[in-house]
Amino acid sequence: MRPDLAAKYDLRVPRYTSYPTAPHFHPGVTGETYRGWLGGIDPNLELSLYLHIAFCAEMCWFCGCHTKITKRYAPVAAYMDALWREVELVAEALPTRMTARHIHFGGGSPTILSSEDFVRTIDLLKSRFILKAGAEVAVELDPRTADESYVKAMAGAGVTRASIGVQDLDDKVQQAINRIQPYEVTERVVEWLGKHGVPEVNIDLIYGLPHQSLDGLLATIDKAVRGFRPKRVALFGYAHVPWMKKHQRLIPEETLPDTNTRWQQYEQGCKLLTETLGYVQIGLDHFAAPDDAMAIALRNKRLHRNFQGYTTDSATTLIGFGASGIGSLPQGYVVNDGEVHAYQRSVAEGRLATSRGIAISPDDILRREIIERLMCDLEIDLDAVAGRHGADGSQFGAELASLAPLQADGLVEVTGHRIHVTEEGRTLVRAVCAAFDRYLKMGEQRHSKAV
């Protein structure tokens, strides 16, 4: 990416893990709304389940997640009591005992759970849902708090994938983000996963961190990938949003890479992962081994995107459990109360803890597919997509016209109603998607930078 283009298009746009995006959810969608939506789901549909574990042992200053810090297990135990009760409430609201094809534990840090509570949670899900044969059970894992007994319990409960936060291996960067995690700590956990039979390992890395140099990032990528041999790698851009996450104010802005360095980190990191280490780039920021299911889905144009990022999961209903848990249903989106005590009170009183959401219209559904296909495939035939929704691709004339600056700079090609994002434009695919976002007001400071 040329420096002038990097500066020109360094916009703040959504990550498009949903459409409409979360800033447009509103409190008019309540727990009773959600209950009605659950009861109206086609009982033949398969579900995905997301469980948000809203606690960590300490705060990483780069973190953008909903989490609370605790050194005691009592608050975690009380939280899990509420989460288990929510599972029961949701299962009772569904039209039947439905099939789950994907389970994802996120956070926060799921590894703050005791082994017993983790296994109990899996057992509860299996009792209230039918776990499809071959279903993926994925857990986000913090190597600093996981021990071998926990890894063994995960494996015994049927976990198929562990996603490990590595971020950066440089000591100075780790100190600047308050996440001290030596290489050997992660290496030990990877060895436990292999020993106890968790078959798939992902690692998450971040560029744009304080004091992070280009050479330092590339060294981290090379050492982590060669050492941990992950099937998938995520290379995320640090989203510095201190107006939303106050703990990020502990990171002095002058220690962050400038825009040009940030772009170089991204582009050179992608080049190392693909050209040297042999991974296939998935959309904007994911990479997979050529024989991985995600790389195969990309080739077959069956890749999807949801609140966890790029995924092979094609379920149309994602149910989120826990404080700030977010769900996607055929009727719209719902979000649980993010304040832990308020969430617990609602569930204890037998109420679903929904605090906001949004019902989606046919136009939203059409635009959501357009945005998802652009994010996944980097190209789209608007006539074909619109036709599947009983619409006409010609209705997007204004959106196509708004792409003219990107087209003039060689970042996107438009032929009739077909759009192709060039390889140079890949980094700005979110800006292309924004052209189809009817809710977005450019310049809003609620989103992270495009790269």
Coordinates of all heavy atoms in Angstrom, one line a residue, residues 162-225:
A162 N -8.4 -25.2 20.2 CA -8.0 -24.3 21.2 C -7.4 -23.1 20.4 O -6.5 -23.2 19.5 CB -6.9 -24.8 22.1
S163 N -7.9 -21.9 20.8 CA -7.4 -20.6 20.2 C -6.5 -19.9 21.2 O -7.0 -19.5 22.3 CB -8.5 -19.7 19.7 OG -8.1 -18.6 19.1
I164 N -5.2 -19.7 21.0 CA -4.3 -19.2 22.0 C -3.9 -17.8 21.6 O -3.4 -17.5 20.5 CB -3.0 -20.1 22.0 CG1 -3.4 -21.6 22.3 CG2 -2.0 -19.6 23.0 CD1 -2.3 -22.5 22.3
G165 N -4.1 -16.9 22.6 CA -3.6 -15.5 22.5 C -2.1 -15.5 22.7 O -1.6 -15.7 23.8
V166 N -1.4 -15.1 21.7 CA 0.1 -14.9 21.8 C 0.4 -13.4 21.7 O 1.2 -12.9 22.5 CB 0.8 -15.7 20.6 CG1 2.3 -15.4 20.7 CG2 0.6 -17.2 20.7
Q167 N -0.2 -12.7 20.8 CA -0.1 -11.2 20.6 C 1.3 -10.8 20.1 O 1.5 -10.5 19.0 CB -0.4 -10.5 21.9 CG -1.6 -11.0 22.8 CD -2.8 -11.5 22.1 OE1 -3.0 -11.2 20.9 NE2 -3.7 -12.2 22.8
D168 N 2.3 -10.9 21.0 CA 3.7 -10.5 20.6 C 4.7 -11.1 21.6 O 4.3 -11.2 22.8 CB 3.9 -9.0 20.6 CG 5.2 -8.5 19.9 OD1 6.2 -8.8 20.5 OD2 5.1 -8.0 18.8
L169 N 5.8 -11.6 21.1 CA 6.8 -12.2 22.0 C 7.9 -11.3 22.5 O 8.7 -11.7 23.3 CB 7.4 -13.4 21.2 CG 6.5 -14.5 20.8 CD1 7.2 -15.5 19.9 CD2 5.9 -15.2 22.0
D170 N 7.9 -10.1 22.1 CA 8.9 -9.1 22.5 C 8.7 -8.7 23.9 O 7.6 -8.3 24.3 CB 8.9 -7.9 21.6 CG 10.0 -6.9 21.9 OD1 11.2 -7.1 21.4 OD2 9.8 -6.0 22.7
D171 N 9.7 -8.7 24.8 CA 9.5 -8.4 26.2 C 9.0 -6.9 26.4 O 8.1 -6.7 27.2 CB 10.9 -8.5 26.9 CG 11.3 -10.0 27.1 OD1 10.4 -10.8 26.9 OD2 12.5 -10.2 27.3
K172 N 9.6 -6.0 25.6 CA 9.2 -4.6 25.8 C 7.7 -4.4 25.4 O 7.0 -3.6 26.1 CB 10.1 -3.7 25.0 CG 9.9 -2.2 25.2 CD 10.9 -1.4 24.5 CE 10.7 0.1 24.8 NZ 11.7 1.0 24.0
V173 N 7.3 -5.0 24.4 CA 5.9 -4.9 23.9 C 5.0 -5.5 25.0 O 3.9 -5.0 25.4 CB 5.7 -5.6 22.6 CG1 4.2 -5.5 22.2 CG2 6.5 -4.8 21.5
Q174 N 5.4 -6.7 25.5 CA 4.5 -7.4 26.5 C 4.4 -6.5 27.8 O 3.3 -6.4 28.4 CB 5.2 -8.7 26.9 CG 5.1 -9.8 25.8 CD 5.5 -11.2 26.2 OE1 5.9 -11.4 27.3 NE2 5.5 -12.1 25.3
Q175 N 5.5 -5.9 28.2 CA 5.4 -5.0 29.3 C 4.5 -3.8 29.0 O 3.7 -3.4 29.9 CB 6.8 -4.5 29.7 CG 7.7 -5.6 30.3 CD 9.1 -5.2 30.5 OE1 9.4 -4.0 30.3 NE2 10.0 -6.1 30.8
A176 N 4.5 -3.3 27.8 CA 3.7 -2.1 27.5 C 2.2 -2.4 27.4 O 1.4 -1.5 27.5 CB 4.2 -1.5 26.1
I177 N 1.9 -3.7 27.2 CA 0.4 -4.0 27.1 C 0.0 -4.8 28.4 O -1.1 -5.3 28.4 CB 0.1 -4.9 25.9 CG1 0.9 -6.2 25.8 CG2 0.4 -4.0 24.6 CD1 0.6 -7.1 24.7
N178 N 0.9 -4.9 29.4 CA 0.6 -5.6 30.6 C 0.2 -7.1 30.4 O -0.7 -7.6 31.0 CB -0.5 -4.9 31.4 CG -0.5 -5.3 32.8 OD1 0.5 -5.5 33.5 ND2 -1.7 -5.5 33.4
R179 N 0.9 -7.8 29.5 CA 0.7 -9.2 29.3 C 2.1 -9.9 29.2 O 2.6 -10.0 28.1 CB -0.1 -9.4 28.0 CG -0.5 -10.9 27.8 CD -1.3 -11.1 26.6 NE -1.6 -12.5 26.3 CZ -2.8 -13.0 26.6 NH1 -3.8 -12.3 27.0 NH2 -3.0 -14.3 26.3
I180 N 2.6 -10.3 30.3 CA 3.9 -11.0 30.4 C 3.6 -12.5 30.1 O 3.1 -13.2 30.9 CB 4.6 -10.7 31.7 CG1 4.6 -9.2 32.0 CG2 6.0 -11.3 31.7 CD1 5.2 -8.4 31.0
Q181 N 4.1 -12.9 28.9 CA 3.8 -14.3 28.5 C 5.0 -14.8 27.7 O 5.0 -14.7 26.5 CB 2.5 -14.3 27.6 CG 2.1 -15.7 27.2 CD 0.8 -15.6 26.4 OE1 -0.1 -14.9 26.7 NE2 0.8 -16.4 25.3
P182 N 6.0 -15.3 28.4 CA 7.2 -15.8 27.7 C 6.9 -16.9 26.7 O 5.9 -17.6 26.9 CB 8.1 -16.3 28.8 CG 7.7 -15.5 30.0 CD 6.2 -15.4 29.8
Y183 N 7.7 -17.0 25.7 CA 7.5 -18.1 24.7 C 7.3 -19.5 25.4 O 6.5 -20.2 24.9 CB 8.7 -18.1 23.8 CG 8.7 -19.2 22.7 CD1 8.1 -19.0 21.5 CD2 9.3 -20.4 23.0 CE1 8.0 -20.0 20.6 CE2 9.3 -21.5 22.0 CZ 8.6 -21.3 20.8 OH 8.6 -22.3 19.9
E184 N 8.1 -19.7 26.4 CA 8.1 -21.1 27.0 C 6.7 -21.4 27.6 O 6.3 -22.5 27.7 CB 9.2 -21.2 28.0 CG 10.6 -21.1 27.5 CD 11.0 -19.8 27.0 OE1 10.4 -18.7 27.5 OE2 12.0 -19.7 26.2
V185 N 6.0 -20.3 28.1 CA 4.7 -20.6 28.7 C 3.7 -21.1 27.7 O 3.0 -22.0 27.9 CB 4.2 -19.3 29.4 CG1 2.8 -19.4 29.8 CG2 5.1 -18.9 30.6
T186 N 3.7 -20.4 26.5 CA 2.8 -20.9 25.4 C 3.3 -22.2 24.9 O 2.4 -23.1 24.6 CB 2.8 -19.8 24.3 OG1 2.5 -18.5 24.8 CG2 1.8 -20.2 23.2
E187 N 4.6 -22.4 24.8 CA 5.1 -23.7 24.2 C 4.6 -24.9 25.1 O 4.2 -25.9 24.6 CB 6.6 -23.6 24.2 CG 7.3 -24.9 23.7 CD 8.8 -24.8 23.7 OE1 9.3 -24.3 24.7 OE2 9.4 -25.2 22.7
R188 N 4.6 -24.7 26.4 CA 4.2 -25.7 27.3 C 2.8 -26.1 27.1 O 2.4 -27.3 27.1 CB 4.5 -25.2 28.8 CG 4.1 -26.2 29.9 CD 4.3 -25.6 31.2 NE 3.4 -24.4 31.4 CZ 3.6 -23.5 32.4 NH1 4.6 -23.6 33.3 NH2 2.8 -22.5 32.4
V189 N 1.9 -25.1 27.0 CA 0.5 -25.4 26.8 C 0.2 -26.1 25.4 O -0.6 -27.0 25.3 CB -0.3 -24.0 26.9 CG1 -1.8 -24.3 26.4 CG2 -0.3 -23.5 28.3
V190 N 0.9 -25.7 24.4 CA 0.8 -26.3 23.1 C 1.2 -27.8 23.2 O 0.5 -28.7 22.6 CB 1.6 -25.6 22.0 CG1 1.7 -26.4 20.7 CG2 1.1 -24.2 21.8
E191 N 2.2 -28.1 24.0 CA 2.6 -29.5 24.2 C 1.5 -30.3 24.9 O 1.2 -31.4 24.6 CB 3.9 -29.5 25.0 CG 5.1 -29.1 24.2 CD 6.4 -29.0 25.0 OE1 6.3 -29.2 26.2 OE2 7.5 -28.7 24.4
W192 N 0.9 -29.6 25.9 CA -0.2 -30.3 26.6 C -1.4 -30.6 25.7 O -2.0 -31.7 25.8 CB -0.7 -29.4 27.8 CG 0.3 -29.3 28.9 CD1 1.3 -30.1 29.2 CD2 0.3 -28.2 29.9 NE1 2.0 -29.7 30.4 CE2 1.4 -28.5 30.8 CE3 -0.5 -27.1 30.1 CZ2 1.7 -27.7 31.9 CZ3 -0.2 -26.3 31.2 CH2 0.9 -26.6 32.0
L193 N -1.7 -29.7 24.9 CA -2.8 -29.9 23.9 C -2.6 -31.1 23.0 O -3.5 -31.9 22.8 CB -3.0 -28.6 23.1 CG -3.6 -27.4 23.8 CD1 -3.4 -26.1 23.0 CD2 -5.1 -27.6 24.2
G194 N -1.3 -31.2 22.5 CA -1.0 -32.3 21.7 C -1.0 -33.6 22.5 O -1.5 -34.6 22.0
K195 N -0.5 -33.6 23.7 CA -0.4 -34.8 24.5 C -1.8 -35.3 24.9 O -2.0 -36.6 24.9 CB 0.3 -34.4 25.8 CG 0.4 -35.5 26.9 CD 1.1 -35.0 28.1 CE 1.0 -36.1 29.2 NZ 1.7 -35.6 30.5
H196 N -2.8 -34.4 25.1 CA -4.1 -34.9 25.5 C -5.1 -35.0 24.4 O -6.3 -35.3 24.6 CB -4.6 -34.0 26.7 CG -3.8 -34.2 27.9 ND1 -3.7 -35.3 28.7 CD2 -2.9 -33.3 28.5 CE1 -2.9 -35.1 29.7 NE2 -2.4 -33.9 29.6
G197 N -4.7 -34.7 23.2 CA -5.5 -35.0 22.0 C -6.5 -33.9 21.6 O -7.5 -34.2 21.0
V198 N -6.2 -32.6 21.9 CA -6.9 -31.5 21.2 C -6.3 -31.3 19.9 O -5.2 -30.9 19.7 CB -6.9 -30.2 22.1 CG1 -7.6 -29.1 21.4 CG2 -7.5 -30.5 23.5
P199 N -7.1 -31.6 18.8 CA -6.4 -31.8 17.5 C -6.1 -30.5 16.8 O -5.1 -30.5 15.9 CB -7.5 -32.5 16.7 CG -8.8 -32.2 17.3 CD -8.5 -32.1 18.8
E200 N -6.8 -29.4 17.0 CA -6.5 -28.2 16.3 C -6.1 -27.0 17.2 O -6.7 -26.8 18.2 CB -7.8 -27.7 15.5 CG -8.4 -28.8 14.6 CD -7.6 -29.1 13.4 OE1 -6.7 -28.2 13.1 OE2 -7.8 -30.0 12.7
V201 N -5.1 -26.3 16.7 CA -4.6 -25.1 17.5 C -4.5 -23.9 16.6 O -4.0 -24.0 15.5 CB -3.2 -25.4 18.1 CG1 -2.6 -24.2 18.7 CG2 -3.2 -26.6 19.1
N202 N -5.1 -22.8 17.1 CA -5.0 -21.5 16.4 C -4.1 -20.6 17.3 O -4.1 -20.8 18.5 CB -6.4 -20.8 16.3 CG -7.4 -21.6 15.6 OD1 -7.1 -22.7 15.0 ND2 -8.6 -21.1 15.5
I203 N -3.5 -19.6 16.7 CA -2.8 -18.6 17.5 C -3.3 -17.2 17.0 O -3.6 -17.0 15.8 CB -1.3 -18.7 17.5 CG1 -0.7 -18.5 16.1 CG2 -0.8 -20.0 18.1 CD1 0.8 -18.4 16.1
D204 N -3.4 -16.3 18.0 CA -3.8 -14.9 17.7 C -2.5 -14.0 17.9 O -1.9 -14.1 18.9 CB -4.9 -14.5 18.6 CG -6.2 -15.2 18.3 OD1 -6.3 -15.8 17.2 OD2 -7.1 -15.1 19.2
L205 N -2.3 -13.2 16.9 CA -1.2 -12.2 16.9 C -1.8 -10.8 16.7 O -2.8 -10.7 16.1 CB -0.1 -12.5 15.9 CG 0.5 -14.0 15.9 CD1 1.3 -14.2 14.7 CD2 1.3 -14.1 17.2
I206 N -1.1 -9.8 17.1 CA -1.6 -8.4 17.0 C -0.4 -7.5 16.4 O 0.7 -7.6 16.9 CB -2.1 -7.9 18.3 CG1 -3.3 -8.7 18.8 CG2 -2.5 -6.4 18.1 CD1 -3.9 -8.2 20.1
Y207 N -0.8 -6.7 15.5 CA 0.1 -5.7 15.0 C -0.4 -4.3 15.5 O -1.6 -4.2 15.9 CB 0.3 -5.7 13.5 CG -0.9 -5.3 12.7 CD1 -1.2 -4.0 12.3 CD2 -1.8 -6.3 12.3 CE1 -2.3 -3.7 11.6 CE2 -2.9 -6.0 11.5 CZ -3.2 -4.7 11.2 OH -4.3 -4.3 10.4
G208 N 0.5 -3.3 15.4 CA 0.1 -2.0 15.8 C 0.1 -1.7 17.3 O -0.4 -0.8 17.8
L209 N 0.9 -2.6 18.0 CA 1.0 -2.5 19.5 C 2.1 -1.4 19.9 O 2.9 -1.1 19.1 CB 1.3 -3.8 20.1 CG 0.2 -4.9 20.0 CD1 0.8 -6.2 20.5 CD2 -1.0 -4.5 20.9
P210 N 2.0 -1.0 21.1 CA 3.0 0.0 21.6 C 4.4 -0.6 21.5 O 4.7 -1.7 21.9 CB 2.6 0.3 23.0 CG 1.7 -0.8 23.4 CD 1.0 -1.2 22.2
H211 N 5.4 0.2 21.0 CA 6.8 -0.1 21.0 C 7.1 -1.3 20.0 O 8.2 -1.9 20.0 CB 7.4 -0.5 22.3 CG 7.3 0.6 23.3 ND1 8.0 1.8 23.2 CD2 6.6 0.8 24.5 CE1 7.7 2.6 24.2 NE2 6.9 2.0 25.0
Q212 N 6.1 -1.6 19.2 CA 6.2 -2.8 18.3 C 6.9 -2.3 17.0 O 6.3 -1.4 16.3 CB 4.9 -3.4 18.0 CG 4.9 -4.7 17.2 CD 3.5 -5.2 17.0 OE1 2.7 -4.5 16.4 NE2 3.2 -6.5 17.4
S213 N 8.0 -2.8 16.6 CA 8.7 -2.5 15.4 C 8.3 -3.5 14.3 O 7.8 -4.6 14.6 CB 10.2 -2.5 15.6 OG 10.7 -3.9 15.8
L214 N 8.6 -3.2 13.1 CA 8.3 -4.1 12.0 C 9.1 -5.4 12.1 O 8.6 -6.5 12.0 CB 8.6 -3.4 10.6 CG 8.5 -4.3 9.4 CD1 7.1 -4.9 9.2 CD2 8.9 -3.5 8.1
D215 N 10.4 -5.2 12.4 CA 11.3 -6.4 12.5 C 10.9 -7.2 13.7 O 10.9 -8.5 13.7 CB 12.7 -6.0 12.7 CG 13.4 -5.4 11.4 OD1 12.8 -5.7 10.3 OD2 14.4 -4.7 11.5
G216 N 10.4 -6.6 14.8 CA 10.0 -7.3 16.0 C 8.8 -8.1 15.7 O 8.6 -9.3 16.1
L217 N 7.8 -7.5 15.0 CA 6.6 -8.3 14.7 C 6.9 -9.5 13.8 O 6.4 -10.6 14.0 CB 5.6 -7.4 13.9 CG 4.3 -8.1 13.4 CD1 3.5 -8.6 14.5 CD2 3.5 -7.1 12.5
L218 N 7.7 -9.3 12.7 CA 8.1 -10.4 11.8 C 8.8 -11.5 12.6 O 8.5 -12.7 12.3 CB 8.9 -9.9 10.7 CG 8.2 -8.9 9.8 CD1 9.2 -8.4 8.7 CD2 6.9 -9.4 9.2
A219 N 9.6 -11.1 13.6 CA 10.3 -12.2 14.4 C 9.3 -12.9 15.2 O 9.4 -14.2 15.3 CB 11.4 -11.5 15.2
T220 N 8.3 -12.3 15.8 CA 7.3 -12.9 16.5 C 6.5 -13.9 15.7 O 6.3 -15.1 16.0 CB 6.3 -11.9 17.1 OG1 6.9 -11.3 18.3 CG2 5.0 -12.6 17.6
I221 N 6.1 -13.5 14.5 CA 5.3 -14.3 13.6 C 6.1 -15.6 13.2 O 5.6 -16.7 13.3 CB 4.9 -13.6 12.3 CG1 3.9 -12.4 12.6 CG2 4.3 -14.5 11.3 CD1 3.6 -11.5 11.5
D222 N 7.4 -15.4 12.8 CA 8.2 -16.5 12.4 C 8.4 -17.5 13.6 O 8.2 -18.7 13.4 CB 9.5 -16.0 11.9 CG 10.3 -17.1 11.2 OD1 10.0 -17.5 10.1 OD2 11.3 -17.5 11.8
K223 N 8.8 -17.0 14.7 CA 9.0 -17.9 15.8 C 7.8 -18.6 16.3 O 7.8 -19.8 16.6 CB 9.7 -17.1 17.0 CG 10.1 -18.0 18.2 CD 10.9 -17.2 19.2 CE 11.4 -18.1 20.3 NZ 12.2 -17.4 21.3
A224 N 6.7 -17.9 16.4 CA 5.4 -18.5 16.9 C 4.9 -19.6 15.9 O 4.5 -20.6 16.4 CB 4.4 -17.4 17.1
V225 N 4.9 -19.3 14.7 CA 4.4 -20.2 13.7 C 5.3 -21.5 13.6 O 4.8 -22.6 13.6 CB 4.2 -19.5 12.3 CG1 3.9 -20.6 11.2 CG2 3.1 -18.5 12.4

